């Protein structure tokens, strides 16, 4: 009885300390990233807006596909959030080798803080995306209540993949570069600059094994069409997200004891 009573406050204290550490690391990374910058976090808007403008002109005007700027931005903003979190997490252990060797702390905080930093940037830019969507004539509706679900699925997927690539990169440094290449391929394999219904019927199954595909379609379905995301697609994505979290955590726990020696 006494042991259990003592263990619970200790557990809560450890959880609170881990949360404070993630918060501190996230704040540090964001501060260093925009140190000396005049525009600060506004730079995170530059890439999706610039790419969206170019693609809207090239695909919509030049090629006449009918793709609009708001259609592209509804996919590009979440994509750059995903890319920034996973790509940044890949080198989080290697880049903090000195810290890993000197101080004992919850090491999962390093990649998770990178993912959280990318998430905060996305949240800061979300009003801009919503502004474009509403300016195009898409009014908020009941379906917008599903946005936290889509957001949560993407965040969970990023956390799982971030833990995995960060852990394996410690032992296989090429994975950081491989991740960069794979993310480029994933960009074109995911319905970001095109709609999922444009995929030939024989290849539609790819949207079920790609956990990011239904998430991207979910953002568009809610923001542009005012409809709830397809349950079947989100269900498949939820299952793959849980799998990514489980595998990422298992690989991290399996490899973390050797991080200091490997680095």
């Amino acid at each position: 009885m006494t042991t259990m009573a003592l263990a619970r406050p200790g557990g809560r204290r450890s959880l609170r300390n881990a949360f404070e550490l993630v918060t501190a690391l996230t704040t540090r990374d964001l501060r260093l990233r925009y140190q000396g910058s005049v525009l600060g976090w506004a730079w995170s808007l530059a890439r999706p807006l610039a790419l969206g403008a170019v693609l809207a002109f090239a695909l919509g005007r030049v090629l006449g596909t009918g793709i609009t700027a708001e259609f592209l931005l509804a996919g590009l903003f979440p994509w750059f959030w995903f890319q920034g979190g996973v790509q940044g997490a890949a080198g989080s252990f290697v880049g903090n080798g000195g810290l890993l060797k000197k101080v004992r702390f919850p090491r999962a905080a390093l990649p998770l803080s990178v993912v959280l930093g990318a998430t905060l940037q996305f949240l800061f830019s979300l009003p801009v995306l919503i502004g474009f969507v509403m300016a195009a004539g898409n009014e908020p509706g009941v379906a917008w209540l599903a946005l936290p679900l889509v957001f949560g699925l993407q965040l969970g997927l990023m956390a799982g993949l971030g833990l995995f690539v960060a852990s394996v990169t410690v032992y296989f440094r090429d994975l950081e570069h491989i991740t960069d290449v794979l993310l480029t391929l994933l960009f074109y394999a995911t319905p970001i600059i095109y709609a999922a219904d444009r995929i030939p019927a024989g290849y539609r199954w790819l949207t079920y094994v790609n956990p990011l595909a239904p998430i991207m379609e979910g953002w568009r379905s809610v923001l542009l069409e005012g409809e709830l995301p397809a349950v079947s697609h989100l269900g498949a994505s939820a299952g793959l997200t849980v799998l990514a979290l489980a595998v990422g955590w298992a690989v991290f726990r399996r490899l973390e004891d050797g991080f200091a020696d490997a680095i």
Side-chain angles (χ1 to χ4, degrees):
M1 181 74 174
T2 305
T3 303
M4 292 178 63
L6 291 174
R8 287 172 183 168
R12 289 196 295 269
R13 191 181 306 113
S14 298
L15 185 61
R16 184 176 66 251
N17 291 341
F19 175 78
E20 292 174 352
L21 177 61
V22 171
T23 302
L25 289 171
T26 302
T27 304
R28 182 202 66 174
D29 290 343
L30 289 176
R31 187 185 300 114
L32 292 176
R33 180 175 302 177
Y34 298 118
Q35 190 173 22
S37 173
V38 176
L39 297 179
W41 70 268
W43 281 114
S44 63
L45 302 175
R47 295 177 69 190
L49 290 177
L51 185 58
V54 170
L55 290 175
F57 175 75
L59 299 177
R61 298 289 184 176
V62 177
L63 297 180
T65 62
I67 290 178
T68 61
E70 65 272 13
F71 176 89
L72 291 166
L73 292 177
L76 289 173
F77 270 82
W79 164 257
F80 280 112
W81 169 33
F82 177 84
Q83 181 188 50
V86 175
Q87 196 169 37
S92 57
F93 288 138
V94 175
N96 290 278
L99 186 62
L100 289 174
K101 292 179 179 180
K102 295 177 181 178
V103 183
R104 184 69 183 177
F105 63 97
R107 293 166 175 175
L110 289 172
L112 293 180
S113 68
V114 175
V115 171
L116 182 57
T119 302
L120 289 176
Q121 289 186 79
F122 174 72
L123 290 175
F124 291 150
S125 65
L126 193 55
V128 177
L129 171 60
I130 291 177
F132 273 98
V133 168
M134 294 181 65
N138 302 283
E139 296 296 329
V142 176
W144 284 39
L145 295 175
L147 284 176
L149 173 60
V150 181
F151 175 88
L153 283 176
Q154 183 165 336
L155 179 58
L157 180 64
M158 291 168 59
L161 293 177
L163 277 171
F164 176 83
V165 296
S167 301
V168 178
T169 297
V170 174
Y171 300 91
F172 181 53
R173 303 298 172 86
D174 285 348
L175 182 59
E176 188 171 358
H177 304 288
I178 293 173
T179 299
D180 189 18
V181 174
L182 290 178
L183 285 172
T184 301
L185 296 176
L186 184 62
F187 174 78
Y188 292 103
T190 303
I192 296 172
I193 60 175
Y194 55 86
D197 58 13
R198 300 297 297 271
I199 301 175
Y203 297 95
R204 293 278 173 84
W205 61 271
L206 291 173
T207 62
Y208 287 91
V209 298
N210 176 1
L212 195 59
I215 292 175
M216 291 301 169
E217 283 294 296
W219 285 108
R220 284 209 187 96
S221 178
V222 172
L223 292 174
L224 301 182
E225 300 170 13
E227 299 178 356
L228 294 174
V231 175
S232 59
H233 271 200
L234 280 189
S237 180
L240 291 172
T241 295
V242 171
L243 179 62
L245 281 168
V247 172
W249 181 254
V251 170
F252 163 73
R253 292 292 294 169
R254 176 69 177 82
L255 300 178
E256 70 165 325
D257 289 341
F259 284 172
D261 295 331
I263 293 174

